[in-house]
Amino acid sequence: MSAIPAAADVLAPEIEVLGLAEVAERLGQPVNRVHQLLRDGQLLAERRDGVLVVPADFVAAGNVVKGLPGTITVLRDSGFSTEEMLRWLFTEDDTLPGSPIEALRGDRGREVKRRAQAMAF
């Protein structure tokens, strides 16, 4: 079994995070499924005070936020590290407006993915 990839604690402390058991509960899945989502790049995690956590904004209505897995794939294919992806997803962008994760949650995934693809060039 491969290790679960996780970033260092890179997000602002005010960003709400969830332990893996709580992510599993919100998704209605076993915690092993959350581990698999992290290994498969469908979700991102960081370590806060040594504990593996997922940003709460990554989960909505019992699912992983629509467009997040595809955006993660585009960023990873562009050479972004997990730390860089987390920072980018939570960095305010006046042209969106808001952060990329806010745009994904607001069903503006096409624009977020377009920006992620443009950063590769």
Side-chain angles (χ1 to χ4, degrees):
M1 180 184 287
S2 63
I4 296 171
D9 187 0
V10 297
L11 296 176
E14 63 270 8
I15 294 175
E16 181 187 0
V17 293
L18 307 169
L20 300 189
E22 191 171 356
V23 173
E25 184 179 313
R26 289 192 183 189
L27 294 176
Q29 299 286 328
V31 74
N32 289 344
R33 176 68 179 131
V34 175
H35 293 175
Q36 192 63 48
L37 291 170
L38 290 164
R39 281 193 295 272
D40 290 347
Q42 304 287 307
L43 280 175
L44 299 173
E46 73 171 8
R47 289 199 184 276
R48 266 198 192 167
D49 300 320
V51 177
L52 202 58
V53 295
V54 172
D57 284 343
F58 287 0
V59 180
N63 293 299
V64 173
V65 169
K66 181 180 174 186
L68 179 62
T71 301
I72 291 170
T73 298
V74 169
L75 292 170
R76 184 162 283 128
D77 288 350
S78 298
F80 278 63
S81 68
T82 302
E83 288 87 355
E84 291 167 327
M85 286 186 267
L86 283 168
R87 282 189 191 111
W88 183 78
L89 284 163
F90 285 90
T91 298
E92 293 293 317
D93 182 340
D94 292 337
T95 63
L96 275 175
S99 67
I101 191 61
E102 290 170 341
L104 286 171
R105 291 179 63 86
D107 203 26
R108 292 179 283 148
R110 182 175 289 146
E111 184 58 30
V112 172
K113 196 176 284 187
R114 188 177 3 245
R115 288 164 194 254
Q117 289 169 333
M119 291 188 321
F121 297 102

